[in-house]
Amino acid sequence: MDTLWTLVQPMRRDIRRLGRASLSVAALTAILASTATHTPANADGYIPGAVWTDSQYVTDWSGFYVGGKFGGTWGDIGWAQHYTEFVLPGAAGQEASFSPGGVAGGIMGGANLQMGYWIFGLEIGFVGTGLSQSTASPSFPATDTFKTDIDWLLSIEPRLGYTFDRTMVFIKGGWVGGNASLSVAGVGTGGAYKTFKTDEFVDGWSLGAGVEYAWWPSFIVGLEYQYVHLNLSTAGSCDLCLIGIPIGTEAAITGGADISSVMLRASYLFRPEDGF
């Protein structure tokens, strides 16, 4: 009997060890299964095919994008002419006002870099505005005609955004330039009808804001507002004219333009993982 007990005792210890090992394996399997059910692929709001950043549950907006925008634009423009050829008393130096408006559209492109929920970017845009209006001279009698044409705008704007998964709100601002044609027509000093025109590149600054939505991982739609201020004054060599001392040549045109626009925008985002 003692011999039999001696043989059975080691077997009992091996059975207890095997039982503890089986329990450990079962616990580890349960933990792995629980972790798998909480991966981003099963998280609420996950976009199939989208890459996730270091911030959990945030769609990746990094990459290069190209697209277009379309909407409406309007302006508040004022400028004065300083030509001396017109016989109209007091015509020179008086400012004419314009309030043109219309449809605008163009193209844009840029790059985004996402750090957590923040987006840092740079955007370049080209928009055809077609802002054009004529008005009678501010002098009496109003025989002269003033005309303003601002055909297009080119912008280079840094952009800062904040994401809420598929949605990003952003602000932007920077440099803007465009083509401006300013003309005045009326009776000249010799009694003949004359037209004087300046057609040149003008520039200024911009400030805007908007919202974008990742309708699909790489297809982005949005809405934006942009304000632009342009300096319409032409160059002159009369530095003392501003204080009433007419020594030199005064600028032919002085004035500025304030332009606003609201546009729908759509773009395609080329992500780093796409190979671009």
Side-chain angles (χ1 to χ4, degrees):
M1 181 65 78
D2 293 339
T3 303
L4 180 61
W5 176 255
T6 302
L7 294 174
V8 170
Q9 187 68 17
M11 295 175 61
R12 292 179 61 191
R13 288 195 300 269
D14 292 340
I15 291 173
R16 287 197 298 269
R17 291 172 181 171
L18 180 61
R20 288 195 296 268
S22 299
L23 290 175
S24 299
V25 171
L28 179 60
T29 302
I31 293 173
L32 293 176
S34 175
T35 303
T37 60
H38 290 83
T39 59
N42 296 285
D44 293 338
Y46 174 68
I47 304 175
V51 175
W52 297 79
T53 65
D54 293 336
S55 298
Q56 192 178 20
Y57 308 152
V58 178
T59 305
D60 187 10
W61 292 77
S62 295
F64 297 92
Y65 62 90
V66 293
K69 50 187 177 180
F70 180 82
T73 184
W74 63 96
D76 182 12
I77 304 171
W79 55 270
Q81 58 90 11
H82 300 280
Y83 299 110
T84 60
E85 288 83 356
F86 294 93
V87 298
L88 203 59
Q94 293 200 19
E95 184 172 281
S97 298
F98 306 83
S99 300
V103 176
I107 58 175
M108 62 190 181
N112 294 328
L113 175 63
Q114 180 162 358
M115 300 181 65
Y117 291 94
W118 292 96
I119 308 293
F120 301 90
L122 180 68
E123 182 172 290
I124 300 175
F126 180 87
V127 174
T129 61
L131 291 173
S132 179
Q133 189 178 41
S134 298
T135 186
S137 169
S139 304
F140 178 83
T143 57
D144 294 341
T145 300
F146 289 69
K147 185 177 181 181
T148 297
D149 292 291
I150 298 179
D151 303 320
W152 52 266
L153 296 173
L154 173 68
S155 60
I156 302 176
E157 301 169 301
R159 193 166 73 144
L160 175 65
Y162 189 86
T163 65
F164 302 89
D165 195 8
R166 296 190 186 191
T167 303
M168 176 177 69
V169 294
F170 66 86
I171 58 174
K172 63 176 184 174
W175 174 89
V176 176
N179 184 71
S181 297
L182 312 175
S183 63
V184 57
V187 179
T189 54
Y193 192 83
K194 296 183 178 181
T195 299
F196 294 90
K197 179 179 180 181
T198 176
D199 189 354
E200 60 182 54
F201 183 83
V202 296
D203 65 353
W205 54 271
S206 68
L207 186 63
V211 59
E212 287 188 322
Y213 180 75
W215 185 61
W216 193 246
S218 291
F219 185 65
I220 314 298
V221 295
L223 178 70
E224 71 169 30
Y225 167 80
Q226 184 184 45
Y227 168 81
V228 172
H229 176 77
L230 296 176
N231 180 15
L232 302 180
S233 300
T234 58
S237 60
C238 183
D239 297 331
L240 299 179
C241 287
L242 294 176
I243 58 175
I245 304 176
I247 300 177
T249 303
E250 190 173 12
I253 298 291
T254 56
D258 298 312
I259 302 171
S260 296
S261 62
V262 175
M263 296 193 187
L264 295 171
R265 50 186 286 151
S267 60
Y268 188 87
L269 178 64
F270 299 92
R271 305 172 187 274
E273 60 271 16
D274 296 332
F276 292 92

